[in-house]
């Protein structure tokens, strides 16, 4: 599925954009590509996000005795979809 991952990167451009996971699921061009895959009967059974780097900020809330971690993906990213061999 390398071709699809490459075309996503090309269509989305190389600019820096901050997106939350829920926002990625609403990305119009990605949704259009997935709809096209569905129309052609292509399915996938796995997905992986590849990134150059990740920054993690950890915080501890003493009142709630709880750790939280916020990950920010830095650099170029790729979405890899594993097809089901259709």
């Amino acid at each position: 599925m390398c071709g699809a991952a490459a075309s996503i990167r090309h269509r989305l451009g190389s600019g820096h954009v901050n997106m939350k996971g829920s926002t990625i699921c609403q990305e119009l061009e990605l949704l259009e590509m997935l709809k096209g895959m569905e129309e052609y009967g292509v399915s996938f059974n796995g997905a992986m996000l590849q990134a150059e780097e990740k920054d993690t900020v950890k915080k501890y809330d003493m009142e709630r005795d709880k750790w939280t971690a916020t990950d920010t993906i830095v650099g170029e990213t790729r979405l890899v979809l594993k097809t089901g061999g259709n």
Side-chain angles (χ1 to χ4, degrees):
M1 198 66 185
C2 294
S7 65
I8 291 171
R9 194 178 94 211
H10 173 69
R11 286 191 291 168
L12 295 178
S14 60
H16 297 282
V17 178
N18 291 329
M19 287 185 155
K20 295 184 182 244
S22 59
T23 303
I24 292 171
C25 293
Q26 297 171 11
E27 167 47 51
L28 254 190
E29 291 182 39
L30 176 60
L31 291 174
E32 287 176 11
M33 186 201 72
L34 293 173
K35 184 177 178 182
M37 288 174 63
E38 181 182 31
E39 289 172 1
Y40 284 107
V42 177
S43 61
F44 65 94
N45 55 12
M48 178 175 57
L49 180 65
Q50 292 181 329
E52 285 183 39
E53 208 174 314
K54 176 176 82 168
D55 289 337
T56 303
V57 176
K58 296 178 182 177
K59 293 182 182 176
Y60 179 69
D61 183 344
M62 289 176 48
E63 290 179 14
R64 297 188 313 176
D65 189 28
K66 181 178 179 180
W67 280 96
T68 58
T70 302
D71 294 331
T72 302
I73 297 171
V74 180
E76 189 172 316
T77 59
R78 290 173 187 84
L79 178 64
V80 179
L81 302 175
K82 181 180 177 186
T83 62
N86 317 49

